[in-house]
Amino acid sequence: MKEQLLNIKENALKEINKYEKMDEIEKLRVKYLGKKGEITNILKGMGKLSAEERPVIGKVANEVRGEIEKAISDKKEEIKIIEKNEKLKAEVLDVTMPGKKIKIGKKHPITQMMDEVKYIFTGMGFKVAEGPEIETVFNNFDALNAPKNHPSRDMSDTFYIDENLLLRTQTSPVQIRTMKSAKPPIKIIAPGRCFRFDEPDATHSPMFHQIEGLVVDKNVTMAELKGTLDAFVKQLFGENTKTKFRPHNFPFTEPSAEVDVTCFKCKGKGCSVCKGEGWIEILGAGMVHPNVLKNCGIDPEEYSGFAFGMGVDRIAMLKYEIDDIRLLFENDMRFLNQF
Ligand SMILES: [Zn+2]
């Protein structure tokens, strides 16, 4: 019996040496040490042994079992290390491989234009103010001194939600909100999306972008308005850009003006961008109407102010020479990647 046990040990150690896979070693463990394994089988015959032989064989059996167990656990450790090394080798980083280029998006031309205008005005001390795109009819029209019969209030020009709410047609209600909630001095620009009931064509879109500015303080004059806009267009279009104020009529300002700048492309000689005029209209402006100040709880005897507004889409189209506003909103990457 001792002979048999030693044979089993020898075979087991040989076999363990031969295999290199975890599952193969596990099979060997079952084969030799399991409940139905070879050692157990032999020990079943212990009953036939004499009382003297039994402890001797028992001792040999334990030694054999111990050695096989140790050989198996050593082998398992060895396999674990080999597998780990192989895994590391497979995952090794080849730093000489050419990298994968990551595509980074960029800002939409309208956003770029907005940022540029915001940058110029914040540099002059203006704060950026924002307001909701769904507005009250009061903030969008009444507070801005728009008479009840003003054409812009028509159902065919404005998206009404109900009789008191609409999609704002301009960013001017942000001026109203600011004047109602803050005391002068006020110096803000209000950038944002606006909506009008326009059939889309090359120059019209039912959704467009505006930036308006508002200054309210004691003794604010038209000269300051002209100086501010002059400084603005020089930064936006170039140092030699000139401005021209033409009288106009807006309900919310008095006096009101439309502001032209010398064409940034031909410098005033006349070209396709300025349609041969040498001048391009880009802004509406004026001194805040006393009624608007009154509507917001500001005393027009004590305070005065100026306001201006521009269409961001229009300026972007002029600056980037885009001939159709719809291109800005189609999200065609071939178009957008040019800016
Ligand atoms: Zn021109």
Side-chain angles (χ1 to χ4, degrees):
M1 201 174 262
K2 187 179 169 185
E3 206 60 10
Q4 278 176 304
L5 284 167
L6 293 177
N7 268 340
I8 289 174
K9 183 177 89 175
E10 204 178 316
N11 289 338
L13 295 183
K14 257 189 221 159
E15 276 201 276
I16 290 167
N17 246 333
K18 214 164 71 188
Y19 292 110
E20 299 293 342
K21 291 260 165 58
M22 219 41 141
D23 54 342
E24 290 165 347
I25 300 300
E26 181 57 21
K27 272 182 201 157
L28 291 180
R29 191 189 65 77
V30 175
K31 180 179 171 190
Y32 289 105
L33 307 173
K35 273 181 195 164
K36 291 174 182 170
E38 293 193 11
I39 291 178
T40 317
N41 272 340
I42 289 186
L43 294 180
K44 275 178 191 161
M46 290 262 279
K48 291 174 194 156
L49 296 173
S50 68
E52 294 82 37
E53 280 177 311
R54 242 180 260 165
V56 179
I57 294 299
K59 196 175 163 234
V60 173
N62 278 338
E63 280 168 9
V64 168
R65 175 184 287 274
E67 277 187 60
I68 296 174
E69 273 171 359
K70 186 170 184 302
I72 284 177
S73 86
D74 286 353
K75 187 75 183 188
K76 281 186 173 174
E77 278 307 306
E78 197 183 300
I79 292 173
K80 265 189 211 161
I81 291 170
I82 291 170
E83 282 180 348
K84 194 178 163 193
N85 284 338
E86 276 171 2
K87 205 176 159 206
L88 284 175
K89 231 187 256 174
E91 286 174 358
V92 85
L93 184 67
D94 181 358
V95 292
T96 63
M97 290 254 289
K100 276 185 197 156
K101 203 174 175 192
I102 298 169
K103 265 197 172 173
I104 300 173
K106 54 181 166 180
K107 288 183 178 173
H108 189 279
I110 294 288
T111 310
Q112 291 180 35
M113 199 68 240
M114 286 262 210
D115 286 351
E116 207 178 333
V117 174
K118 277 194 236 172
Y119 177 81
I120 295 172
F121 281 109
T122 50
M124 290 194 257
F126 284 76
K127 287 204 169 67
V128 177
E130 282 176 338
E133 290 167 4
I134 296 175
E135 259 298 355
T136 60
V137 172
F138 179 81
N139 282 348
N140 194 83
F141 289 127
D142 298 308
L144 286 154
N145 204 33
K148 290 278 180 219
N149 60 355
H150 197 273
S152 65
R153 300 180 74 130
D154 203 274
M155 293 284 280
S156 61
D157 277 356
T158 298
F159 291 108
Y160 285 91
I161 291 164
D162 58 33
E163 56 184 24
N164 296 314
L165 288 175
L166 44 70
L167 295 183
R168 68 179 180 193
T169 61
Q170 50 200 352
T171 49
S172 317
V174 181
Q175 299 187 28
I176 300 300
R177 284 170 180 271
T178 305
M179 286 190 280
K180 283 202 286 195
S181 63
K183 283 198 162 63
I186 292 168
K187 198 173 179 185
I188 56 148
I189 52 166
R193 255 191 300 259
C194 308
F195 308 86
R196 278 179 206 173
F197 211 125
D198 274 332
E199 197 68 40
D201 62 23
T203 53
H204 294 87
S205 162
M207 190 274 294
F208 57 99
H209 300 79
Q210 274 193 342
I211 294 186
E212 295 191 356
L214 171 72
V215 173
V216 181
D217 203 349
K218 286 176 180 162
N219 306 316
V220 173
T221 67
M222 188 101 182
E224 284 165 310
L225 168 63
K226 292 182 92 168
T228 302
L229 293 183
D230 195 54
F232 164 65
V233 298
K234 281 187 160 70
Q235 278 196 65
L236 189 65
F237 294 118
E239 202 42 49
N240 297 319
T241 310
K242 294 190 181 89
T243 52
K244 182 166 78 177
F245 281 59
R246 282 182 290 104
H248 197 73
N249 175 39
F250 300 117
F252 31 84
T253 44
E254 181 59 38
S256 304
E258 282 191 323
V259 184
D260 299 344
V261 296
T262 43
C263 176
F264 53 86
K265 183 138 191 244
C266 65
K267 314 291 176 209
K269 289 190 199 86
C271 71
S272 62
V273 172
C274 58
K275 299 192 175 76
E277 298 281 326
W279 293 91
I280 300 171
E281 184 228 318
I282 61 155
L283 286 144
M287 300 307 290
V288 181
H289 197 290
N291 287 350
V292 175
L293 293 174
K294 250 186 268 173
N295 289 339
C296 299
I298 294 173
D299 181 1
E301 299 297 326
E302 194 180 354
Y303 292 100
S304 55
F306 66 73
F308 55 86
M310 69 198 93
V312 182
D313 319 72
R314 179 172 152 73
I315 295 178
M317 286 170 72
L318 287 168
K319 196 162 178 183
Y320 301 131
E321 293 184 50
I322 299 165
D323 55 10
D324 193 324
I325 193 172
R326 290 169 292 194
L327 289 167
L328 289 168
F329 307 122
E330 281 171 355
N331 284 339
D332 186 332
M333 294 302 284
R334 290 168 301 179
F335 171 77
L336 294 175
N337 277 334
Q338 297 173 51
F339 305 98

